[in-house]
Amino acid sequence: MSTDISRDAGTAPVTPPSPAARSRRTPAKAAGAVLVLLICASLPLWAFPDDYSVGILMQIAIYAGYGLSWHLLAGYTGQYAFGHAAFFGAGAYVMAIFSYHTGLSPWLGLGLAAIGAAVVGLLVGLIALRVSGLFFGLITFGTALMLGVAANQLVGLTGGAAGLSLPLHLGDAGMMQFDTQVPLYEITLVIVAGYLLLTWALLRSRLGLLFRSVRDDPVAADASGVNIRGVRLGALCLSAAMAGLIGAIYAQSLLFIDPESAFGLTQSVNAIFTAIIGGMGSLFGPVLGAAVFVLLREVGMTISDGDGVYSVLFYSTVVFVFIMVAPKGLVGIGRRLFGLVRRDAGKRE
Amino acid sequence: MNLLLETLLNGLLIGGVYGIFSVGFALQFGTLRIINFTHGDFVMLAMFLGFFAVSQYGWNPFAVIPVAMVLFGLVGAVFFTTVFNRLKEEPHEIQLIATITLSAIITAGTQGLFGQDARSLDTITEIFQLGGVHLGVWKVIGLGISLLLAGGLWLLLTRSGIGRDIRASVDDAVAARLQGINTRRAYLVAFSLGALLAGAAGATLITFYPVTPSVGANLLVLAFAAVLVGGAGSLPGAFLGGLILAVVQQVTATYQSPALQNAYVFLLFLFILVVKPAGLFGRLARVD
């Protein structure tokens, strides 16, 4: 039964256009992407200079990266991690524990966080990849739960349920702390851009083809000599490292981490929210989804006077109605609109 | 020795309730192939129903159980017609996110209404002794009700016409439809039965277990683990899985710490997965 689940999971079409059309459109698309990125990077300078707005931009960037890491795994290899916070939180805690206990620069911690999360991914994968589909999802879910218990219990290392506050070095760039949030926001944007580039390059590489073959028809892929387990494990480790790196940035942006925000159910669901709101199987979907998700959450916070419960109620309801109406996400709506335009243009030719 | 015996017996008694909501979950998953993340929240809502009916209106907890069954069966039917029947045709990620969001809505809505405080029926504490072992009366009653319901469901599925329709729809929906079986009705009944079991489980559970709005997520994890430990595709397996998990929880709580309960459940789950990936009673072979 797990086979059929992984097979028809991720039915979002990723049909590549013909090579000629692709090479014609690629430079324009790339230029557009760079332009959008530059605009995003410059937003704090001209549009939203205040601390509150930069904080929101920061969150959007973080959830974009987090959503991209989940989507790489689910969208392209069909492995649905219900507990993606296991990797996000592992990265956040590696970062926090490292800088708290050694006093060394968090810049080193970034690398360690990615490696630590990848190791968690590897361990999960070695067990979880004996099965696939929903079972895989449940094991990541349970891993997040277990790591949450560990973070609560190992008080000497993690500070327990009260969390871990990182030492202040305000204005010390060597310690990755700045006078404003803007530099950290720019760093996060660079990471997100890196994730986009990585996903894009993967999609047109042989490896990307292997990813999708494992998603669309594992039996046929196996018969064609594809090392299914190896491909799945590789994708899982890569995705985990990406989530861990973003988790480290998250911890550094707050200078605080606790078990609930690192490994909680909400944090796992957030990754899925961003990817699905944006639309599965599209490169920029998670970025769009992150913007919508963070803004919805802020609107919810505002209209409920900062009551987190009503905020969750608000954005969950909006997301629910949205997916019942538009299951293909924002990108799906966009495609439908542009699809109509393009078809018209084709007729005129 | 008495402590160990008491712990094991308590585990089995609580396990009956875990067993029936796990069976409900397995029934819905087995027929619709949708992971219903709201299942745990149904149990939670039934617990609230039981709490208010008993503490505010002085109902006998016994009387709440059939009311909860009927009520949640109906709610299940409404949920099926409005949401799950449509979701059935959607890809898995849409089903997943839809039921997760629905679960978040129910949890947050309940938190908004009742707050995050734990509520329990501490009025019901009758205990009886059996050879030096102390057992809660309501836990014994709970196991009795659970066995009754599980047996009833088994009879319904194996001996009745609609039960045959449900089994046929699970085995091969297309072939069943070609035979003139109304698969939509079979799904509707199966889903409502799952919700009905959640209602019964919740109304029973509240007699000895405190309720908070977020308890649904924990219960769902248990149901999921019970199904996989018992073996996906096997309803008796799901029931036994529930029993086993409850015993593991009780032993952990008594001898280590209640905080580690679910960690041990997960370890057991991993262990079973490594030594017997199809679950203890699984019939389905899994291919990678």
Side-chain angles (χ1 to χ4, degrees):
Chain A
M1 58 157 288
S2 43
T3 308
D4 63 85
I5 279 154
S6 58
R7 191 185 301 166
D8 56 13
T11 41
V14 201
T15 40
S18 68
R22 186 157 63 183
S23 60
R24 219 183 316 123
R25 249 184 267 144
T26 304
K29 269 194 180 169
V34 170
L35 190 67
V36 170
L37 211 64
L38 286 178
I39 292 175
C40 288
S42 66
L43 279 178
L45 298 179
W46 52 273
F48 305 110
D50 58 305
D51 285 350
Y52 172 77
S53 306
V54 175
I56 303 276
L57 288 173
M58 182 78 204
Q59 286 186 45
I60 293 178
I62 285 175
Y63 283 111
Y66 186 36
L68 280 167
S69 77
W70 187 84
H71 184 254
L72 180 83
L73 191 63
Y76 300 123
T77 71
Q79 301 180 94
Y80 291 87
F82 302 161
H84 209 55
F87 313 125
F88 180 88
Y93 262 105
V94 167
M95 177 72 147
I97 290 170
F98 174 78
S99 33
Y100 183 86
H101 290 284
T102 69
L104 293 172
S105 167
W107 290 101
L108 297 170
L110 275 187
L112 281 180
I115 295 170
V119 169
V120 174
L122 183 71
L123 293 177
V124 168
L126 286 178
I127 298 175
L129 293 181
R130 295 169 63 88
V131 294
S132 60
L134 300 173
F135 300 87
F136 168 82
L138 183 73
I139 293 172
T140 62
F141 192 92
T143 307
L145 190 111
M146 290 257 287
L147 289 175
V149 171
N152 268 313
Q153 301 282 321
L154 303 173
V155 179
L157 194 63
T158 64
L164 201 59
S165 289
L166 299 185
L168 287 179
H169 302 279
L170 278 183
D172 184 352
M175 296 305 279
M176 224 177 146
Q177 292 185 24
F178 309 94
D179 295 322
T180 68
Q181 281 267 49
V182 178
L184 200 57
Y185 166 66
E186 305 293 353
I187 293 168
T188 318
L189 265 193
V190 170
I191 294 176
V192 171
Y195 285 6
L196 282 169
L197 199 64
L198 182 75
T199 313
W200 178 81
L202 250 177
L203 277 184
R204 27 198 74 208
S205 71
R206 196 180 116 78
L207 194 59
L209 200 62
L210 290 182
F211 275 21
R212 278 169 284 165
S213 75
V214 163
R215 176 195 72 190
D216 293 334
D217 197 336
V219 177
D222 195 22
S224 318
V226 175
N227 178 356
I228 301 187
R229 242 175 234 188
V231 170
R232 282 190 176 144
L233 196 60
L236 176 58
C237 290
L238 179 61
S239 164
M242 288 162 70
L245 184 58
I246 280 293
I249 292 281
Y250 175 80
Q252 190 65 23
S253 75
L254 299 177
L255 295 176
F256 173 78
I257 195 74
D258 68 344
E260 184 53 33
S261 64
F263 297 114
L265 179 65
T266 322
Q267 200 60 279
S268 290
V269 173
N270 287 347
I272 311 178
F273 265 12
T274 46
I276 305 260
I277 297 175
M280 294 288 290
S282 79
L283 184 58
F284 288 95
V287 181
L288 268 178
V292 174
F293 167 67
V294 170
L295 291 177
L296 274 180
R297 201 168 66 169
E298 277 314 299
V299 171
M301 278 293 191
T302 312
I303 58 179
S304 63
D305 284 332
D307 189 335
V309 165
Y310 288 104
S311 175
V312 173
L313 187 61
F314 171 75
Y315 74 72
S316 302
T317 310
V318 173
V319 171
F320 181 70
V321 171
F322 180 77
I323 44 182
M324 292 309 275
V325 179
K328 290 219 161 57
L330 288 174
V331 172
I333 295 177
R335 279 211 185 116
R336 223 185 301 162
L337 291 178
F338 284 108
L340 289 175
V341 175
R342 256 186 220 145
R343 219 173 296 142
D344 288 348
K347 268 181 214 155
R348 254 177 269 133
E349 279 170 19
Chain B
M1 191 58 218
N2 264 358
L3 183 63
L4 179 64
L5 194 64
E6 204 169 289
T7 308
L8 292 178
L9 279 174
N10 261 320
L12 283 179
L13 296 179
I14 298 173
V17 181
Y18 286 10
I20 53 167
F21 73 70
S22 302
V23 167
F25 179 76
L27 187 64
Q28 293 180 340
F29 177 62
T31 46
L32 285 170
R33 292 273 152 213
I34 295 178
I35 303 184
N36 178 10
F37 273 85
T38 63
H39 190 67
D41 301 296
F42 271 52
V43 181
M44 177 272 289
L45 288 175
M47 289 172 82
F48 268 107
L49 177 78
F51 174 78
F52 286 117
V54 174
S55 67
Q56 308 268 322
Y57 300 99
W59 282 41
N60 185 316
F62 248 142
V64 183
I65 295 169
V67 173
M69 284 166 62
V70 173
L71 190 66
F72 281 84
L74 288 175
V75 173
V78 172
F79 262 63
F80 177 81
T81 16
T82 51
V83 179
F84 286 86
N85 190 37
R86 273 188 64 191
L87 281 180
K88 200 176 165 0
E89 310 305 325
E90 298 290 347
H92 285 294
E93 71 268 11
I94 299 298
Q95 301 173 343
L96 177 69
I97 193 72
T99 72
I100 286 182
T101 338
L102 211 50
S103 163
I105 293 173
I106 297 175
T107 308
T110 317
Q111 275 170 349
L113 278 177
F114 304 133
Q116 186 50 54
D117 300 334
R119 291 179 166 84
S120 58
L121 291 175
D122 41 28
T123 45
I124 306 174
T125 48
E126 293 118 78
I127 281 176
F128 73 94
Q129 276 201 343
L130 193 78
V133 176
H134 301 264
L135 296 172
V137 170
W138 273 97
K139 287 183 186 166
V140 179
I141 296 176
L143 180 68
I145 292 173
S146 307
L147 287 173
L148 216 62
L149 284 173
L153 181 71
W154 186 75
L155 280 180
L156 183 78
L157 285 178
T158 53
R159 297 281 183 275
S160 73
I162 183 70
R164 193 198 53 208
D165 288 1
I166 291 174
R167 282 181 295 127
S169 310
V170 172
D171 287 344
D172 192 334
V174 177
R177 232 169 283 145
L178 289 174
Q179 298 290 320
I181 290 173
N182 185 346
T183 51
R184 188 177 174 278
R185 195 182 61 140
Y187 291 141
L188 171 70
V189 172
F191 189 86
S192 308
L193 279 174
L196 176 150
L197 289 176
T204 315
L205 201 55
I206 188 63
T207 56
F208 54 81
Y209 197 92
V211 60
T212 66
S214 53
V215 80
N218 290 330
L219 296 175
L220 181 83
V221 176
L222 284 175
F224 213 137
V227 167
L228 299 185
V229 165
S234 158
L235 294 186
F239 192 85
L240 282 167
L243 286 179
I244 294 170
L245 295 189
V247 170
V248 170
Q249 277 197 340
Q250 289 305 307
V251 171
T252 313
T254 307
Y255 292 97
Q256 283 219 287
S257 149
L260 295 175
Q261 278 184 348
N262 284 347
Y264 275 84
V265 164
F266 183 64
L267 281 181
L268 172 78
F269 165 70
L270 283 186
F271 177 73
I272 301 256
L273 197 67
V274 171
V275 296
K276 198 166 183 307
L280 291 177
F281 307 93
R283 295 167 303 171
L284 297 166
R286 276 175 218 155
V287 195
D288 259 33

